[in-house]
Amino acid sequence: MAGPCLWPDLTTKESLLPPESRMHPEMSEEVENLKANLLDQAQEISRLRSELGGTDLEKHRDLLAAENERLRQEMKAREGELRELRRQQGQCRGCTHLQENAVLQERLSQLQREAEEARAKLAELDVEVQQKTNRLAEVELRLKDSLAERAEEEERLSRRLRDSQETIASLKSQPQQIKYIIKTVEVESTKAKQALSESQSRNQYLQEQVGMQRQVLKEMEQQLQSSQKTAAQLRAQIAMYESELERAHGQMLEEMQAMEDEKNRAIEEAFSRAQVEMKAVHENLAGVRTNLLTLQPALRTLTHDYNSLKRQVRDFPLLLQETLRSARAEIGQAIEEVNNTNRELLRKYRRELQLRKKCHNELVRLKGNIRVFGRVRPITKEDGEGPEAANAVTFDANDDAVLHLLHKGKQVSFELDKVFPPQASQEEVFQEVQALVTSCIDGYNVCIFAYGQTGAGKTYTMEGTSANPGINQRALQLLFSEVRSKASDWDYAITVSVAEIYNEALRDLLGKEPQEKLEIKLCPDGSGQLYVPGLTEFRVQSVEDINKVFEFGHVKRVTECTNLNEHSSRSHALLIVTVHGLDRSTGLRTTGKLNLVDLAGSERVGRSGAEGSRLREAQYINKSLSALGDVIYALRSRQGHVPFRNSKLTYLLQDSLSGDSKTLMMVQVSPAEKNTSETLCSLKFAERVRSVELGPISRKAELASWPSQEQLEVTKGDVPGTAVSSSRGHASPSPGPPSGRATSIRRKLQTSGKLRPVPV
Ligand code: ADP
Ligand code: MG
């Protein structure tokens, strides 16, 4: 810029230059200095221009703009990638990387925000740079102007200096004019001094200007530096964002790769599965094809069959009718045949039944219908102490049918069917008896007698105790269980009566009036059967019923007599069990009777001089026991006449003693020394009963009647029992009385009524 000219034109007033030489070098030095200053400033300006020239800033700006553009492009590319990823993500719903993607997206949007901010900052910086560039251009222009002005001034000053020098030289050559010239120069020199001071002030001003410009430049430098710093920071941030973006991109790529891998794997798996399934389907198809191929002929056959079946169905009703007719005829014939076979089988069965019965009878006959057991009770407290209570009975270890009695220093041996020692239990005794009891179910009549002196254990064997029951209760229990086991084919009814015979009077222990004497009568139907009008009969169905019956009978007996023990030892107690059976398949009816008799004491009271009622009792007992012996003997020896009527007991038991009935005599003995006489008597009685059926020869014996109790007494001390038994004769075998079985079978099965008189 061209400023106002402050220096005076020296060229025109050279003559005014002072003549003193000392002024010229000072000025020229000053001018040189100014020149040097100007040069310096110009150089400084050019240096500044080159250093901080607008071109560099522009370059920087251009670079930033290019960088910005590149970032924009990259951003666009990332957005494209993001879109692609979103699309893929949409395809991959429910994938496990969704969450990570969301995080990455969040991060990306944050980065985008930051990039946006950086971009804004960059724009601001751009504007700032632009402003600074403009200002710089202005400063440059001003500098240019001042430099031009300076050059002009310089030029003018040097011109004037030259003029002055020329004037000085001309003045030297014209000394007369010197004073004037000097004055002029002095005048000129004051002017020049003024101009110099002006130019100095001007120079001062310019220097100030330059200083200001330098200050401005310095500020601009600082601003540039800060903007460079900001730009570097931004670049670093951008680099960070880039790396972040790079990392996100890398992660995304990895994710995409993983997803791709997973997808490929899934596709491969699906493919291989599909291949396997395809293979199976192919195989199935092949199987179906072959099936179809094989089915075709089958279908043809089926169609053929169907057609023929259709024809058959058409003809079926006729065929059916015909077939039914013939089937009916065949079935009728078959039924007829079956019926015939059944009839034949039934006939054979009945014949077999009779045969079996016959065989059984024969067996029983051979074994002996009368069996005699001996039971020795243990020594009890009642036997006392000392020699009288000593044991007099011993047994044979090798033979359970033999027993030895030490009587008056002599040992007498007896052989029975079985001997029970004192330690034998009720159970063991019953085991030997139970076959007899069960035969009652088959329709046989059975009598079991307990014989022996009072206190020998008769009641214990028959009744027992509640904790250890005897034959009576066990027999009924067995009957119940047998009846139950046959219930599928047979109907059974079991009835019981309890009676006693005291002094030859029969009394009903279950009746309302036990004192009433009952009579034994012939049935009015002419069958020859006996019955006891008024004898109570209880139908029992369980063990509880039996217990009630026994209880009832026992109570009656207790209330009727003052001393039961004594009374019971003087009377015969009878438990009569009747079993009526009906075979449902054959209609066969059976009736068996089981008589369980606890006999009166067999001790010989008569001999001890008893009188009155005691003697009468003894006589009755003696008579009835002798009569029992007689009957048994007559039966076994097949005598034509059996004296049943000689006692109430035998008369009552007539049915159950005759024919194919079975009898067991349980002879009870005491082992005590003081009882040996009675024991001897009882054992002799037992052996005689048994000896009756010894072999065919013995049946020919001729003994007409059974020894009385007295007779037994007389023979007691003679010889050992074996000798006695062998000395006895036997009657020849003769047909027994007509069997009571047939008539008993004919009896009607009684099924109702608890208290009812029954025929005996
Ligand atoms: P009986 O009826 O012949 O008069 P009991 O049966 O009343 O004789 O018996 C007389 C006593 O001997 C009773 O106390 C009875 O318990 C006991 N007794 C009889 N036989 C046996 C035995 N085998 N075991 C244990 N005690 C017995
Ligand atoms: Mg008794």
Side-chain angles (χ1 to χ4, degrees), residues 108 250 434 451 678:
L108 194 67
Q434 63 183 14
Y451 178 95
E678 289 301 333

Side-chain angles (χ1 to χ4, degrees), residues 453-460 463 557 565 568-569 571 598-599 601:
Q453 72 173 113
T454 300
K458 298 184 294 296
T459 308
Y460 184 83
E463 286 178 22
R557 217 172 174 197
N565 269 345
S568 66
S569 71
S571 62
D598 183 355
L599 290 169

Side-chain angles (χ1 to χ4, degrees), residues 308-521:
S308 68
L309 269 173
K310 232 159 108 183
R311 277 196 297 280
Q312 278 179 18
V313 165
R314 256 202 316 275
D315 305 340
F316 184 71
L318 278 172
L319 208 73
L320 186 71
Q321 272 174 7
E322 206 172 304
T323 316
L324 273 174
R325 250 198 313 279
S326 68
R328 257 190 223 121
E330 270 175 34
I331 288 167
Q333 205 178 334
I335 288 170
E336 188 60 32
E337 275 172 22
V338 167
N339 276 346
N340 287 343
T341 319
N342 270 355
R343 270 196 292 276
E344 180 62 15
L345 279 172
L346 204 65
R347 195 181 59 75
K348 278 181 184 168
Y349 170 68
R350 281 183 179 147
R351 212 183 59 205
E352 282 303 314
L353 217 64
Q354 278 173 359
L355 212 65
R356 196 174 76 91
K357 206 161 159 190
K358 237 166 141 182
C359 287
H360 178 79
N361 287 345
E362 191 57 25
L363 191 74
V364 170
R365 196 188 62 74
L366 287 173
K367 270 176 85 177
N369 271 359
I370 296 177
R371 315 213 78 202
V372 182
F373 291 171
R375 188 178 189 187
V376 182
R377 73 155 168 82
I379 301 274
T380 62
K381 267 191 239 166
E382 283 72 36
D383 291 324
E385 283 176 4
E388 281 209 326
N391 179 39
V393 178
T394 49
F395 302 90
D396 191 328
N398 301 315
D399 193 346
D400 65 353
V402 172
L403 144 165
H404 311 289
L405 175 71
L406 194 65
H407 177 60
K408 294 184 178 174
K410 284 182 198 168
Q411 181 169 296
V412 192
S413 298
F414 294 93
E415 191 185 349
L416 308 175
D417 290 313
K418 170 110 184 149
V419 172
F420 294 103
Q423 65 273 17
S425 67
Q426 298 282 67
E427 176 67 36
E428 282 171 50
V429 172
F430 186 70
Q431 264 173 15
E432 292 294 326
V433 173
Q434 63 183 14
L436 275 180
V437 174
T438 46
S439 68
C440 169
I441 294 173
D442 296 332
Y444 290 98
N445 290 339
V446 179
C447 283
I448 299 175
F449 296 102
Y451 178 95
Q453 72 173 113
T454 300
K458 298 184 294 296
T459 308
Y460 184 83
T461 294
M462 296 311 285
E463 286 178 22
T465 60
S466 56
N468 204 3
I471 291 170
N472 289 4
Q473 201 164 92
R474 286 174 196 268
L476 278 157
Q477 276 175 8
L478 180 68
L479 285 179
F480 280 127
S481 74
E482 287 289 310
V483 161
R484 264 201 303 276
S485 70
K486 287 178 150 193
S488 55
D489 304 316
W490 286 78
D491 288 328
Y492 283 104
I494 300 174
T495 54
V496 293
S497 300
V498 182
E500 74 165 17
I501 298 171
Y502 174 69
N503 286 354
E504 284 301 279
L506 174 64
R507 299 194 302 139
D508 178 13
L509 290 183
L510 300 179
K512 283 177 187 156
E513 290 176 29
Q515 285 301 335
E516 191 188 344
K517 290 180 186 173
L518 300 178
E519 289 302 319
I520 303 163
K521 290 190 173 168

Side-chain angles (χ1 to χ4, degrees), residues 162-208:
R162 236 180 356 261
D163 289 345
S164 304
Q165 280 170 346
E166 278 171 13
T167 315
I168 289 164
S170 64
L171 282 173
K172 273 175 184 175
S173 57
Q174 301 169 348
Q176 61 262 55
Q177 292 175 323
I178 284 176
K179 267 189 178 174
Y180 175 74
I181 292 167
I182 288 168
K183 278 184 185 171
T184 317
V185 169
E186 273 175 2
V187 173
E188 285 292 316
S189 164
T190 42
K191 280 183 186 172
K193 266 182 190 170
Q194 201 181 342
L196 193 65
S197 71
E198 273 177 19
S199 75
Q200 271 175 343
S201 65
R202 177 80 181 150
N203 199 17
Q204 186 73 30
Y205 167 76
L206 280 172
Q207 270 179 346
E208 276 170 17

